[in-house]
C-alpha cells in the first residue's frame, strides 16, 4: 500500500513553507519523499499541468502568453550533520535579525519554497511559467534531474525564453556562471621497502612539483559581458601509498579549475594540461560555464523589473544547462552562498520574503 505523501501547505507564509520543505529530508538520491510532497501539493492546482520524471516534478501553465519563463530549483541537499544536528530547522535570533537555521535553508530549499508560493499564488501570470523541481544536483551530473528532463522530455523545456535558477545569491541577481574542470595529475614511482628507499622511487615526493606549480599559479580575472569572473585553480584531493612500510609507486593530485564562461571546455582542458606539462593528466569532469546574456530582451526585462544590480556568479550552477539550450538564465534566490553546505547553514527570513515579492512583482 503506497504511503501518503507528507503535506505541504502552499498557502502558508514562505518562511514556514521553507521550514516544512527543509524538514522533509532529501539528501541526494533520497529525494522521493519530498518529490512526492511537491507533486501532491501541485496536482490540485487547476492552472498547472504536472509531470513526474523520476524524482523530478515539472509543472507548467499554458495560457498562450508571448513569453515562457522557467523557474528551476533542486530539491536535494548535501548530507546532514550529527553534531550539531542541522535538522529539524528552527528559527533563531541572528546578528541582523531572525534567521531560519538548518540543512537546506540556504542551498536551496528557500528557493524551492519561493517557487511553490509563486505556483500557488500566481494563477494568471504575465508570462507562461514552467516550474522544475529537480533531483540530484549536489552529486555527479549523470544523476541530475534537470539533465534527465532534457534527455527524456525535452519538450517540457524547449519553448522557454528565459530561466531563473533560484540558487542562493543573497537575494541579488548573479549572471552566468563559471565552468568547472576536475583533473587527476599523477606521478609514477617504483615500489620498494621503506627501509631501502634507494631501491625504489617515491611518487609522493615527485608530487611536490605539482603542488609547487599550484602555489606559484596566478589566476586571472576575465570580463565577460561587463561582469568580472575570477578564475581559480587549486588542489582538492591528494592520494598515494599502499602501506606504511612501502615506498609509494603512485600519487594522484586532483585539481579543480574554475574558469570564465568566455573559455570553452576545450580551452580549459588545454590550459590545465599546459600548467602541468610533463605530468600525466586525466580530465575526469568538465562542465562549461554560461555567459550572462544580460543583453537579451528577456534578461533585461527581469533585471529592470527587480531593480537590482547584477554580479557575476563565481561558482558553477545549472544555468549552464539552460545556456547550452540557447535559453538565457540568471541565478536569483535567498541565502548567502558562502553558508551553503556548512554545518550552521542559515538564512535571514527576510530574504525569503524579498525574493518572493520580487518575483510576484515581475510575474503578476
Amino acid at each position: 500500500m503506497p504511503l501518503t505523501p507528507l503535506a505541504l501547505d502552499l498557502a502558508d507564509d514562505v518562511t514556514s513553507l521553507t521550514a516544512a520543505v527543509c524538514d522533509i529530508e532529501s539528501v541526494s538520491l533520497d529525494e522521493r519523499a519530498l518529490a512526492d510532497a511537491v507533486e501532491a501539493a501541485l496536482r490540485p492546482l487547476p492552472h498547472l499541468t504536472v509531470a513526474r520524471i523520476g524524482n523530478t516534478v515539472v509543472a507548467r501553465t499554458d495560457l498562450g502568453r508571448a513569453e515562457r519563463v522557467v523557474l528551476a530549483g533542486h530539491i536535494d541537499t548535501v548530507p546532514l550533520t550529527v553534531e550539531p544536528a542541522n535538522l529539524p530547522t528552527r528559527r533563531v535570533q541572528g546578528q541582523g535579525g531572525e534567521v531560519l537555521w538548518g540543512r537546506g535553508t540556504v542551498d536551496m530549499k528557500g528557493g524551492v519554497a519561493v517557487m511553490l508560493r509563486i505556483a500557488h499564488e500566481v494563477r494568471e501570470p504575465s508570462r507562461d511559467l514552467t516550474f522544475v523541481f529537480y533531483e540530484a544536483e549536489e552529486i555527479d551530473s549523470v544523476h541530475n534531474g534537470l539533465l534527465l528532463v532534457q534527455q527524456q522530455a525535452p519538450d517540457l523545456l524547449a519553448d522557454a525564453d528565459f530561466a531563473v535558477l533560484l540558487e542562493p545569491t543573497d537575494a541579488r541577481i548573479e549572471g552566468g556562471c563559471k565552468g568547472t574542470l576536475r583533473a587527476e595529475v599523477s606521478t609514477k614511482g617504483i615500489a620498494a621497502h621503506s627501509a631501502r628507499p634507494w631501491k625504489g622511487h617515491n611518487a609522493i615526493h615527485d608530487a611536490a612539483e605539482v603542488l609547487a606549480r599550484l602555489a606559484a599559479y596566478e589566476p586571472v580575472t576575465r570580463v565577460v559581458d561587463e561582469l568580472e569572473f575570477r578564475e581559480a585553480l587549486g588542489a582538492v584531493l591528494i592520494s598515494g601509498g599502499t602501506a606504511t612500510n612501502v615506498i609509494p609507486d603512485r600519487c594522484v593530485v586532483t585539481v579543480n579549475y574554475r574558469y570564465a564562461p568566455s573559455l570553452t571546455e576545450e580551452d580549459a582542458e588545454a590550459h590545465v594540461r599546459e600548467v602541468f606539462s610533463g605530468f600525466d593528466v586525466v580530465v575526469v569532469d568538465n562542465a562549461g560555464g554560461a555567459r550572462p546574456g544580460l543583453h537579451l530582451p528577456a534578461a533585461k526585462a527581469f533585471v529592470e523589473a527587480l531593480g537590482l544590480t547584477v554580479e557575476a556568479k563565481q561558482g558553477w550552477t545549472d544555468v549552464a544547462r539552460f545556456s547550452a539550450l540557447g535559453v538565457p538564465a540568471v541565478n536569483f534566490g535567498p541565502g548567502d552562498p558562502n553558508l551553503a553546505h556548512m554545518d550552521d547553514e542559515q538564512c535571514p527570513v527576510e530574504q525569503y520574503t524579498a525574493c518572493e515579492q520580487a518575483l510576484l512583482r515581475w510575474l503578476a
Side-chain angles (χ1 to χ4, degrees):
M1 185 174 180
L3 296 175
T4 302
L6 297 169
L8 294 173
D9 184 359
L10 304 193
D12 212 343
D13 68 89
V14 68
T15 302
S16 297
L17 183 56
T18 298
V21 172
C22 289
D23 288 339
I24 302 176
E25 294 184 19
S26 57
V27 175
S28 303
L29 300 182
D30 192 21
E31 302 98 335
R32 180 176 178 178
L34 181 53
D36 288 348
V38 169
E39 181 182 9
L42 294 177
R43 282 204 180 275
L45 300 180
H47 63 292
L48 295 176
T49 301
V50 179
R52 175 86 175 251
I53 299 172
N55 287 325
T56 294
V57 180
V58 181
R60 290 165 53 95
T61 65
D62 191 11
L63 303 172
R65 303 295 195 237
E67 284 186 329
R68 177 173 293 278
V69 170
V70 176
L71 301 182
H74 64 85
I75 63 172
D76 64 319
T77 70
V78 296
L80 310 182
T81 63
V82 177
E83 284 292 337
N86 51 17
L87 278 188
T89 55
R90 61 180 185 268
R91 295 194 190 199
V92 298
Q93 196 64 30
Q95 292 183 346
E98 189 178 28
V99 303
L100 185 65
W101 188 98
R103 176 64 79 226
T105 56
V106 172
D107 193 9
M108 58 160 291
K109 290 185 174 180
V112 168
V114 170
M115 291 167 57
L116 289 169
R117 287 285 299 152
I118 297 296
H120 182 267
E121 294 296 312
V122 185
R123 307 297 175 99
E124 293 284 338
S126 58
R127 298 157 172 84
D128 267 312
L129 298 176
T130 300
F131 300 90
V132 185
F133 303 86
Y134 63 100
E135 62 187 314
E137 187 271 350
E138 298 288 5
I139 54 176
D140 288 348
S141 62
V142 66
H143 303 289
N144 187 290
L146 186 57
L147 175 63
L148 297 180
V149 172
Q150 292 176 348
Q151 293 173 339
Q152 299 178 25
D155 290 348
L156 293 176
L157 301 175
D159 54 353
D161 298 293
F162 182 58
V164 179
L165 191 64
L166 279 89
E167 285 276 4
T169 63
D170 243 354
R172 297 177 293 187
I173 302 172
E174 293 184 336
C177 72
K178 292 191 291 192
T180 178
L181 177 153
R182 284 185 296 113
E184 295 179 345
V185 184
S186 301
T187 59
K188 296 180 181 180
I190 300 173
H193 197 293
S194 61
R196 294 178 289 278
W198 56 87
K199 293 290 187 179
H201 184 83
N202 196 312
I204 291 180
H205 291 180
D206 285 353
E209 173 60 22
V210 176
L211 300 179
R213 293 188 191 184
L214 287 170
Y217 182 81
E218 295 185 3
V220 300
T221 297
R222 303 182 194 271
V223 178
V224 183
D225 296 347
E226 300 183 0
L227 298 182
E228 292 187 352
F229 291 86
R230 299 175 59 185
E231 294 194 342
L233 175 63
V236 292
L237 291 171
I238 187 166
S239 62
T242 57
T244 57
N245 60 351
V246 177
I247 297 298
D249 62 353
R250 188 169 185 265
C251 183
V252 178
V253 180
T254 302
V255 299
N256 184 203
Y257 178 38
R258 300 293 181 130
Y259 55 94
S262 54
L263 274 63
T264 66
E265 294 175 23
E266 293 75 18
D267 292 336
E269 179 173 342
H271 178 67
V272 169
R273 291 190 181 280
E274 180 182 8
V275 171
F276 299 107
S277 175
F279 289 97
D280 180 25
V281 177
V282 176
V283 175
V284 295
D285 188 39
N286 190 1
R291 298 184 74 101
L294 297 175
H295 61 290
L296 299 172
K300 290 177 68 174
F302 176 76
V303 173
E304 291 170 2
L306 269 62
L308 300 173
T309 58
V310 185
E311 300 178 2
K313 183 66 176 179
Q314 299 300 339
W316 187 93
T317 72
D318 279 319
V319 297
R321 300 191 190 280
F322 288 107
S323 179
L325 293 173
V327 179
V330 298
N331 306 276
F332 173 70
D336 181 352
N338 293 311
L339 294 177
H341 301 185
M342 295 189 70
D343 292 347
D344 61 344
E345 192 174 344
Q346 57 190 275
C347 177
V349 298
E350 64 182 17
Q351 288 198 10
Y352 301 132
T353 303
C355 289
E356 177 190 22
Q357 293 300 316
L359 292 180
L360 285 172
R361 290 196 305 271
W362 180 47
L363 295 171

